[in-house]
Amino acid sequence: MIINLKSETELSGFYVVYEGSTNLEKKGWFGISHLMEHLMCKNFDHLQEDFDRDGIDWNAYTSSNEIVFYLTGLEDKVNKWKGEFMDLLGEFNVTKEQFENERNIVLEEYMDCFNDQTQTHMLNLSRKLFNDYDPIGLKEDLENLKYMDCLNFFELQYSKPSKVINVSKGKGYKNPTLDFAERTIVKDLVFGNHKVDLELGNEFKDKTSIAILSPVITEDFAYVHFINAMLSLGLKSPLYQEIREKKGLVYYVHCYQSRMNNQGLNTISTQTSNKNYNAVVEAVKEVITNPSKFLTKERFDLVKDYYKVRMEKDEILRYKNVNQWINPKGWSVYDILDEVNLKKIKEVYKKYYNFDNFYISNDKKEFKQ
């Protein structure tokens, strides 16, 4: 489908979305979606100086759910390149030499990911619990991928886009010859204990990475996002106040919901000194098990006001804020702002924030070096 959005400024954005990504991967292909994103970008090598001259910002990214390529810049400059951009995404003009070189680059990126303690922990946890290798993939598979594998994946992933999102102040984008894919992709998140390849090469001696995971979420996604903001938005939020400011146990606390297809997984993550691990878990538990103390009407009103202002800002800078139209329906907080109330928040909280049902992971114990 083509989604035309109004820009409030002279800045325009053009996004081409391919749903599937890691959901289309199989044993031997883990990481091919991310590699193919790199390879498809080689189609634009000959346009780099033209893009620079026209002030075009372009890039791509791979998530667990989709691969997205985009152009942003002044409207007349973006309009100039839309046609060729779409045409080049319909081709695979990569040489075997480029394939070998780009695979080496992706392998370097792979190793960089596992030089960060928290990222190493989360990537290994995703493998162990869900047999999911995230977009970064598996080193062995990346090393063994063949040029023909990429040609086959091109046919599977890039034969048709899923949607085009055009953000423009002027006329909407039309392309009557463009055909779109309707993929039904189901890859359920189910907790398990999989025997998989882990990356445990680095020793992070002085810090412990902590991940506290909810059960799998199947609805109420926008409300969960709202609740997470009530818990962790800003230095005055409950998690920051109780764990960082009052007790000095951590530098940061993240509380976020990630998506796989149309399922969610809520995560509270942080790092702390080895000796403080138990104290941090207890502090998180103290917040989560006391909603009447921390999920107040004042906190609710603050977060609602925050999202109202953020929505206005996103409208003004719509050319670069399009996640609301990339994600499935039901994931955007903006869609519930008119109806959300503290009673509903407490109902959803009771449904998904039972600390006794959370999975608590400590990289020092769970993934011994």
Side-chain angles (χ1 to χ4, degrees):
M1 75 176 77
I2 296 175
I3 302 173
N4 284 300
L5 304 173
K6 182 73 173 178
S7 175
E8 298 297 326
T9 71
E10 299 298 329
L11 292 166
S12 177
F14 188 72
Y15 298 78
V16 185
V17 182
Y18 296 87
E19 293 173 348
S21 189
T22 65
N23 297 291
L24 300 178
E25 294 180 357
K26 58 185 180 181
K27 180 66 177 173
W29 273 13
F30 292 132
I32 195 171
S33 302
H34 181 215
L35 174 60
M36 279 295 294
E37 174 218 314
H38 279 240
L39 292 175
M40 291 296 291
C41 287
K42 303 307 292 181
N43 284 355
F44 310 115
D45 271 359
H46 64 291
L47 297 177
Q48 295 307 309
E49 290 183 336
D50 292 312
F51 284 165
D52 291 342
R53 185 177 294 108
D54 284 344
I56 293 290
D57 293 319
W58 77 277
N59 212 329
Y61 68 84
T62 302
S63 76
S64 295
N65 307 287
E66 62 270 324
I67 305 170
V68 180
F69 299 83
Y70 61 90
L71 306 169
T72 62
L74 292 173
E75 181 161 338
D76 62 326
K77 304 298 185 185
V78 172
N79 286 340
K80 175 180 173 181
W81 294 108
K82 289 176 183 176
E84 189 166 359
F85 193 66
M86 286 301 311
D87 289 343
L88 291 171
L89 284 172
E91 304 170 357
F92 188 70
N93 295 321
V94 178
T95 66
K96 289 186 177 181
E97 182 180 4
Q98 287 174 319
F99 160 75
E100 295 286 349
N101 186 61
E102 210 62 35
R103 183 176 59 178
N104 289 337
I105 292 171
V106 169
L107 282 166
E108 288 296 320
E109 184 178 354
Y110 180 98
M111 297 312 298
D112 285 347
C113 288
F114 290 97
N115 281 323
D116 177 85
Q117 184 173 4
T118 295
Q119 196 164 14
T120 296
H121 183 195
M122 298 307 298
L123 289 170
N124 279 328
L125 197 58
S126 182
R127 294 180 182 190
K128 176 186 173 182
L129 296 182
F130 303 109
N131 194 25
D132 183 82
Y133 286 82
D134 294 271
I136 198 63
L138 176 63
K139 183 180 179 183
E140 179 184 356
D141 284 6
L142 286 167
E143 290 173 335
N144 293 324
L145 280 174
K146 303 291 189 293
Y147 181 76
M148 187 55 68
D149 292 322
C150 291
L151 283 173
N152 291 333
F153 196 76
F154 174 81
E155 293 300 322
L156 181 65
Q157 176 73 78
Y158 291 100
S159 58
K160 300 175 185 177
S162 302
K163 62 182 74 169
V164 171
I165 302 171
N166 176 65
V167 187
S168 173
K169 189 175 183 179
K171 293 182 179 179
Y173 175 72
K174 296 180 180 180
N175 191 334
T177 64
L178 194 59
D179 199 8
F180 292 93
E182 294 185 8
R183 297 187 179 95
T184 302
I185 304 163
V186 177
K187 185 177 181 181
D188 290 336
L189 287 172
V190 180
F191 274 91
N193 187 8
H194 301 276
K195 296 188 180 302
V196 293
D197 298 291
L198 302 173
E199 295 287 351
L200 301 174
N202 292 311
E203 291 188 12
F204 306 103
K205 294 181 179 179
D206 301 323
K207 300 278 281 187
T208 296
S209 175
I210 303 168
I212 301 175
L213 279 61
S214 74
V216 174
I217 298 167
T218 56
E219 57 186 358
D220 303 314
F221 309 111
Y223 292 97
V224 172
H225 284 309
F226 193 102
I227 292 169
N228 286 345
M230 291 184 70
L231 292 171
S232 65
L233 174 67
L235 291 179
K236 288 292 186 179
S237 64
L239 286 173
Y240 269 88
Q241 281 293 303
E242 297 302 311
I243 303 169
R244 185 187 195 269
E245 296 299 300
K246 290 184 180 180
K247 297 183 174 68
L249 295 172
V250 302
Y251 172 63
Y252 71 89
V253 184
H254 293 158
C255 182
Y256 60 92
Q257 179 183 205
S258 52
R259 178 172 76 87
M260 172 66 78
N261 290 323
N262 208 19
Q263 292 178 299
L265 186 68
N266 222 26
T267 303
I268 300 171
S269 69
T270 188
Q271 282 187 13
T272 191
S273 300
N274 296 337
K275 63 183 176 64
N276 288 334
Y277 165 71
N278 289 327
V280 170
V281 173
E282 284 302 312
V284 173
K285 181 178 179 180
E286 175 69 17
V287 173
I288 299 301
T289 55
N290 284 283
S292 60
K293 179 180 179 181
F294 297 111
L295 299 187
T296 63
K297 180 67 163 57
E298 290 75 19
R299 185 67 189 166
F300 170 84
D301 289 341
L302 183 151
V303 170
K304 188 169 183 178
D305 287 344
Y306 160 79
Y307 275 116
K308 286 180 178 178
V309 172
R310 180 174 157 181
M311 183 168 64
E312 288 185 34
K313 290 163 64 177
D314 281 356
E315 285 294 336
I316 294 170
L317 299 177
R318 176 56 63 207
Y319 79 100
K320 65 177 182 179
N321 297 313
V322 297
N323 280 340
Q324 183 180 356
W325 288 272
I326 292 177
N327 288 328
K329 186 176 177 58
W331 281 82
S332 175
V333 174
Y334 301 156
D335 292 339
I336 65 167
L337 274 182
D338 290 339
E339 66 189 52
V340 65
N341 56 63
L342 189 56
K343 180 182 177 181
K344 175 67 174 180
I345 288 297
K346 290 181 176 179
E347 290 173 358
V348 175
Y349 192 89
K350 186 176 180 180
K351 187 175 179 181
Y352 293 113
Y353 291 79
N354 184 338
F355 196 81
D356 291 337
N357 294 333
F358 282 15
Y359 183 97
I360 303 174
S361 178
N362 165 353
D363 71 329
K364 285 292 185 292
K365 292 181 179 178
E366 189 155 14
F367 302 109
K368 295 178 181 179
Q369 302 293 325

